Amino acid sequence: MVKNVCFLLILLKIGLLSAQNYPLKKIVVIDPGHGGTDSGAVGLRNQEKDITLGIALALKAWNSILFENELEMHLTRYSDTLINLSERSRMAKMLHADAFISIHCNAANKSARGLEVFVPKKKGAFQAQSYHLGQWILNEFHFKLNFVSRGVKEARFQVLAQAVANYPAILIEIGFITHEDEAYYFSKEQHLKAVALAILMGLKQHLNSKL
């Protein structure tokens, strides 16, 4: 069973990381997958587009509440709208993003579970940084929230292929909404907030460390 985050311990960790300020704000683009007429995967209790937006909005809120907007964070969508994939990538490129994180949910047979992170398959200037970012976030999910780790993998998803020469980018499949436990987990607002915090903590670990 996945578990909710222990906020007291996380907040202690946040206090330590907050002391390490960046000379300039890092620009992060968060991409909630699907939206509008594109529901994405349909699970046992919820739709992918709603889960991804909930996590993205919570992520932006955590950045404001806990870090006083230390990161300059932009979302590719803020409501239930459909944004073209090329437009999502174009936004990140125009902003000169330091990181691009696309959030999705998986769907398969009822026994499949766990989180996996995808990085660009195409070789490019930012592939190593993408791996680095993906591994940090995967670790936060696995060790803090007890998600099954399915590893960091390469893929040719459009938002990754268009990123590899311009900025670090990952696509997170946060879990399976066709799995009973994970579908139930994602149906609770407090759990979406925990997922968002795990992503933010992994992101900050990546930005605070060197390859």
Side-chain angles (χ1 to χ4, degrees), residues 146-162:
N146 204 34
F147 272 79
V148 172
S149 171
R150 298 171 66 93
V152 178
K153 306 173 182 179
E154 295 181 355
R156 300 184 187 277
F157 296 127
Q158 184 175 335
V159 293
L160 299 181
Q162 294 180 344

Side-chain angles (χ1 to χ4, degrees), residues 108-168:
N109 60 69
K110 292 184 178 181
S111 64
R113 66 184 305 178
L115 174 138
E116 55 193 351
V117 178
F118 292 93
V119 299
K121 188 174 183 65
K122 181 180 178 182
K123 306 301 179 186
F126 292 96
Q127 190 186 46
Q129 290 186 40
S130 298
Y131 264 105
H132 189 258
L133 170 60
Q135 192 61 60
W136 272 116
I137 289 178
L138 189 71
N139 289 346
E140 288 292 322
F141 272 87
H142 181 61
F143 294 112
K144 299 299 194 319
L145 299 183
N146 204 34
F147 272 79
V148 172
S149 171
R150 298 171 66 93
V152 178
K153 306 173 182 179
E154 295 181 355
R156 300 184 187 277
F157 296 127
Q158 184 175 335
V159 293
L160 299 181
Q162 294 180 344
V164 69
N166 300 295
Y167 45 83

